[in-house]
């Protein structure tokens, strides 16, 4: 592979330095083994050009662009962008198309062919505004991918019936057991959302009702496919279910992706990362503008000698993208490497290689703050960053080695997740405190920031009893009246506590499972398919039992049994209150009808759905 080396050293110059290497294969091998710079000469450079009206990405002087990158120009109507030319130092001039964002605030130049690893790409364009042409230009360098390859789904351990639930009416569903140990009447309303994986049995998005009973479970295939960050969001004015899935086989792709499903549990949109990347599980947030914020992890070659690593290693380039959900175009891309120094990490680069990248930043959440800036959380620098989405510049740091705030007692975090700004301006975080272990146990915390005095003060801290130390994952969801729902990540627990610290709800999965986050949210769903029915004959003289369920239906209050001499002549026989995901119903004594069916009834007695008839 031909590359332009760090510092602009060409292969010809390198050949001279190596004593006249002329064989192309030897030259390529020498270039491939040479140290590669991945950090720009100046950090935190503004990405706002053309009089600060156009936000560009890849950013000026970045060294970590993808070879499949678009050239994103955000902030002005596409019609005001003219004269776009793109040229690679090795690949030459690039033809392409200028495609507008559906929001009307910019466009991406999509090259007809990819760039080459290691080359410098120069971009020129003009902004036509007020009858004048404002020229702007910048350049960036394309990264060299590491050798680790792409991750896919995991294989699952052998399942044990003691780990999962089973149902007569839906024998295909085997979600993990959920054991509820605390349930107070004072707990918040709303269903519970999680996405269990890692343990034996089936993985997939899972909804529980307020009592912890199963409402909906979607077993993913093939075996080992994972889901994460399962929750309710708003899309095109309607509540939808969203989750990250790996692999996501759809549209000719088997890479990881993001699913958007309607209230009938039908997939209505699939979102992918742009610029040749795969989306990471840590964040998928739909904005009111019809865009989505996602996280990406990409390993690239990097000289890590400045932080005690090998000069021929790799770094996990963690970044965020804003995607136009209608077009799939990348509107904006922000890379940690361009703004945060490698030496801010609390993890070591000593054992990193081109196979095992140095995960120095580890982005794990993005939150849109009230002033429009982004709050970006980094696990491995122990800090959250205020990012201006117009310029990309980091305004302040909360925690870490170079905190902008004087950190008061109890405010320091370690390996934390899920930084969120609350309506009162405070910041909540899930403070893992591990791994390696830095705190006695994990906790959910709330910090108040004084922007005048630049101080951070601990407002609230919640821990679990018995103590939990979650080495990864986790979240804090602020609920009404000051309650918190906490997902304990690697530890398979989810709990709700009141503002005074009273435990209102506590539940856990089997020990081998984990769920990246847990939420309590309002939801109403009705599947398009009919309810399910199973008839189980009883031993001796006792009548048969009917088992009825409807995976995903939230409004079922009772089940009405229908019976008759044929599948088309069933009549009402009896009604039974719903008792959980699956309701067991004993056929009345003396019933001899050869066919039965069930109707799902809502609280008013209206029929919501009817099952196919089955032989009694």
């Amino acid at each position: 592979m031909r590359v332009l080396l760090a510092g602009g050293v060409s292969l010809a110059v390198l050949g001279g330095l190596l004593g006249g290497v002329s064989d192309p294969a030897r030259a390529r091998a020498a270039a491939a083994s040479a140290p590669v710079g991945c950090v720009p000469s100046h950090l935190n450079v503004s990405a706002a050009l053309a009089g600060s009206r156009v936000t560009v990405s890849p950013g000026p002087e970045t060294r970590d662009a993808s070879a499949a990158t678009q050239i994103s120009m955000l902030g002005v109507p596409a019609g005001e962008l003219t004269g776009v030319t793109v040229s690679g130092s090795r690949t030459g001039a690039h033809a392409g198309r200028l495609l507008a964002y559906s929001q009307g605030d910019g466009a991406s130049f999509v090259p007809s062919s990819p760039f080459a690893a290691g080359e410098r790409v120069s971009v020129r364009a003009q902004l036509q505004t007020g009858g004048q042409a404002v020229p702007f230009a910048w350049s960036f360098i394309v990264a060299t991918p590491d050798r680790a390859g792409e991750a896919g789904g995991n294989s699952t351990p052998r399942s044990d019936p003691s780990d999962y639930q089973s149902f007569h009416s839906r024998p295909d569903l085997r979600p993990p057991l959920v054991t509820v140990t605390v349930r107070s009447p004072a707990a918040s309303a709303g269903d519970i959302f999680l996405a269990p994986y890692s343990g034996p049995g089936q993985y997939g998005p899972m909804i529980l009702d307020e009592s912890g009973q199963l409402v909906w479970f979607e077993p993913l295939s093939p075996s080992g496919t994972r889901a994460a960050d399962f929750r309710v969001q708003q899309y095109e004015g309607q509540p939808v279910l969203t989750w990250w899935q790996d692999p996501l086989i759809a549209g000719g792709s088997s890479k990881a992706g993001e699913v958007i499903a309607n209230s009938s549990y039908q997939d209505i949109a699939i979102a992918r990362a742009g610029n040749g990347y795969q989306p990471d599980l840590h964040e998928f947030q739909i904005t009111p503008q019809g865009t989505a914020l996602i996280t990406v992890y990409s390993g690239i070659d990097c000289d890590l000698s400045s932080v005690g690593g090998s000069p021929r290693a790799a770094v996990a380039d963690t970044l965020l993208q804003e995607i136009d959900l209608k077009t799939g175009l990348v509107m904006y891309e922000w890379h940690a490497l361009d703004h945060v120094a490698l030496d801010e990490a609390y993890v070591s680069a000593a054992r990193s290689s081109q196979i095992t990248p140095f995960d120095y930043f580890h982005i794990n959440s993005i939150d849109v703050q009230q002033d429009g800036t982004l709050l970006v959380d980094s696990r491995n620098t122990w800090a959250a960053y205020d990012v201006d989405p117009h310029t990309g510049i980091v305004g302040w740091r909360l925690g870490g080695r170079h905190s902008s705030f004087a950190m008061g007692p109890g405010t320091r975090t370690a390996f934390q997740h899920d930084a969120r700004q609350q309506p009162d301006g405070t910041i909540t975080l899930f403070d893992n405190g591990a791994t390696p272990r830095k705190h006695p146990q994990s906790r959910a915390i709330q910090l108040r920031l004084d922007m005048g005095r630049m101080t951070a003060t601990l407002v609230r801290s919640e821990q679990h009893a018995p103590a939990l130390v979650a080495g990864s994952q986790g979240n804090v969801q602020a609920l009404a009246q000051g309650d918190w729902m906490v997902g304990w990540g690697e530890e398979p627990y989810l709990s709700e506590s009141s503002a005074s610290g009273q435990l209102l709800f506590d539940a856990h999965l089997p020990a081998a499972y984990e769920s990246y986050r847990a939420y309590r949210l309002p939801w109403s769903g009705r599947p398009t398919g009919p309810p399910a029915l199973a008839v189980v004959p009883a031993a001796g003289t006792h009548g048969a039992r009917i088992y009825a369920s409807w995976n995903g239906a939230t409004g079922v209050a009772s089940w009405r049994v229908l019976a008759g001499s044929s599948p088309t002549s069933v009549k009402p026989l009896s009604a039974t209150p719903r008792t959980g995901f699956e309701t067991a119903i004993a056929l009345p004594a003396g019933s001899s009808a050869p066919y039965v069916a069930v109707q799902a009834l809502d609280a008013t007695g209206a029929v919501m759905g009817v099952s196919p008839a089955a032989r009694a």
Side-chain angles (χ1 to χ4, degrees):
M1 186 189 323
R2 295 178 298 163
V3 295
L4 181 68
L5 302 176
V9 179
S10 68
L11 285 177
V13 173
L14 178 66
L17 293 174
L18 293 178
V21 174
S22 57
D23 178 70
R26 290 176 60 199
R28 286 194 295 269
S33 66
V36 175
C38 67
V39 178
S41 58
H42 295 90
L43 293 177
N44 224 20
V45 173
S46 174
L49 305 180
S52 295
R53 291 194 58 194
V54 179
T55 300
V56 302
S57 50
E61 295 305 311
T62 183
R63 304 184 69 92
D64 52 16
S66 166
T69 192
Q70 305 165 25
I71 313 298
S72 303
M73 292 169 282
L74 177 65
V76 298
E80 296 182 4
L81 297 168
T82 63
V84 180
T85 63
V86 178
S87 180
S89 59
R90 286 179 45 217
T91 54
H94 279 255
R97 295 181 297 162
L98 190 66
L99 302 178
Y101 307 140
S102 63
Q103 293 75 19
D105 56 354
S108 283
F109 177 85
V110 181
S112 301
S113 58
F115 301 106
E119 75 171 335
R120 178 176 290 274
V121 177
S122 299
V123 185
R124 295 184 179 276
Q126 289 186 342
L127 171 61
Q128 299 288 341
T129 177
Q132 293 184 332
V134 179
F136 60 101
W138 79 104
S139 66
F140 56 86
I141 292 176
V142 178
T144 301
D146 68 8
R147 304 177 187 177
E150 295 180 352
N154 297 333
S155 60
T156 58
R158 183 179 297 275
S159 59
D160 185 303
S162 64
D163 291 320
Y164 59 83
Q165 305 173 59
S166 58
F167 308 102
H168 293 280
S169 57
R170 290 298 304 267
D172 57 316
L173 302 182
R174 297 184 300 278
L177 287 169
V178 179
T179 302
V180 178
T181 54
V182 176
R183 183 190 171 217
S184 166
S188 300
D191 292 331
I192 298 168
F193 294 75
L194 61 160
Y197 75 100
S198 185
Q202 297 174 333
Y203 302 164
M206 184 177 184
I207 304 176
L208 310 176
D209 67 16
E210 295 177 3
S211 66
Q213 293 280 338
L214 183 68
V215 172
W216 180 69
F217 179 65
E218 177 70 13
L220 299 178
S221 61
S223 178
T225 300
R226 297 174 299 153
D229 196 24
F230 175 49
R231 55 176 156 162
V232 181
Q233 299 196 65
Q234 291 287 317
Y235 177 62
E236 297 185 336
Q238 299 296 322
V240 293
L241 299 175
T242 66
W243 67 90
W244 170 90
Q245 183 173 318
D246 180 28
L248 176 56
I249 302 172
S253 173
S254 60
K255 293 185 175 182
E258 314 284 358
V259 179
I260 303 176
N262 63 18
S263 59
S264 296
Y265 305 97
Q266 298 170 311
D267 294 356
I268 57 175
I270 299 294
R272 306 276 187 183
N275 296 347
Y277 296 121
Q278 291 198 69
D280 167 71
L281 65 86
H282 285 98
E283 192 73 80
F284 176 61
Q285 185 175 154
I286 299 175
T287 72
Q289 294 75 37
T291 70
L293 296 168
I294 64 173
T295 52
V296 171
Y297 281 59
S298 174
I300 62 173
D301 282 0
C302 188
D303 179 357
L304 297 178
S305 56
S306 65
V307 287
S310 168
R312 295 171 182 82
V315 68
D317 181 24
T318 59
L319 57 130
L320 69 86
Q321 289 183 340
E322 183 174 12
I323 303 292
D324 180 354
L325 287 174
K326 287 189 177 297
T327 65
L329 294 169
V330 179
M331 304 173 67
Y332 177 63
E333 186 171 284
W334 182 90
H335 292 249
L337 282 170
D338 296 338
H339 301 277
V340 179
L342 293 171
D343 63 6
E344 291 192 32
Y346 284 86
V347 292
S348 172
R351 296 185 179 181
S352 300
S353 69
Q354 292 174 322
I355 303 297
T356 308
F358 175 41
D359 188 11
Y360 96 102
F361 193 81
H362 197 104
I363 189 172
N364 61 44
S365 68
I366 311 165
D367 192 44
V368 182
Q369 300 185 99
Q370 295 169 20
D371 62 1
T373 60
L374 303 178
L375 185 63
V376 176
D377 193 60
S378 163
R379 179 191 194 277
N380 286 344
T381 66
W382 299 3
Y385 299 82
D386 173 74
V387 175
D388 183 338
H390 181 57
T391 64
I393 290 176
V394 172
W396 47 256
R397 290 163 164 78
L398 176 61
R401 297 190 186 278
H402 306 292
S403 179
S404 304
F405 299 87
M407 305 297 289
T411 61
R412 287 280 182 179
T413 60
F415 305 112
Q416 79 293 327
H417 285 73
D418 200 42
R420 305 285 169 186
Q421 185 185 54
Q422 301 305 321
D424 63 358
T426 58
I427 306 293
T428 55
L429 304 103
F430 182 81
D431 181 18
N432 297 75
T435 295
R437 190 164 177 169
K438 298 295 180 181
H439 297 164
Q441 63 187 98
S442 300
R443 58 187 183 142
I445 64 171
Q446 181 179 21
L447 307 182
R448 177 172 289 112
L449 307 184
D450 186 327
M451 293 298 180
R453 299 179 179 179
M454 296 305 289
T455 58
T457 305
L458 182 66
V459 176
R460 178 177 171 185
S461 177
E462 298 287 346
Q463 297 174 323
H464 191 273
L468 299 174
V469 181
S472 67
Q473 308 163 85
N475 73 302
V476 183
Q477 180 196 7
L479 301 171
Q481 301 176 342
D483 292 358
W484 279 359
M485 171 63 75
V486 180
W488 296 88
E490 190 178 61
E491 294 288 343
Y493 285 77
L494 50 147
S495 60
E496 180 184 345
S497 59
S498 69
S500 63
Q502 179 188 359
L503 187 63
L504 304 176
F505 182 88
D506 196 35
H508 63 270
L509 300 166
Y513 285 88
E514 52 197 83
S515 179
Y516 168 48
R517 289 173 176 165
Y519 298 93
R520 188 186 285 277
L521 298 162
W523 177 246
S524 178
R526 183 181 293 194
T528 56
L533 167 68
V535 180
V536 179
T541 59
H542 299 288
R545 295 183 74 82
I546 292 174
Y547 293 87
S549 65
W550 199 4
N551 190 25
T554 57
V556 179
S558 61
W559 293 98
R560 178 187 290 154
V561 178
L562 311 176
S565 59
S566 72
T568 58
S569 63
V570 291
K571 304 294 183 183
L573 187 63
S574 63
T576 301
R578 178 186 180 275
T579 57
F581 180 82
E582 182 176 72
T583 300
I585 307 167
L587 278 175
S591 175
S592 59
Y595 289 93
V596 294
V598 291
Q599 290 176 333
L601 308 180
D602 67 15
T604 69
V607 177
M608 299 175 60
V610 59
S611 75
R615 278 196 170 273

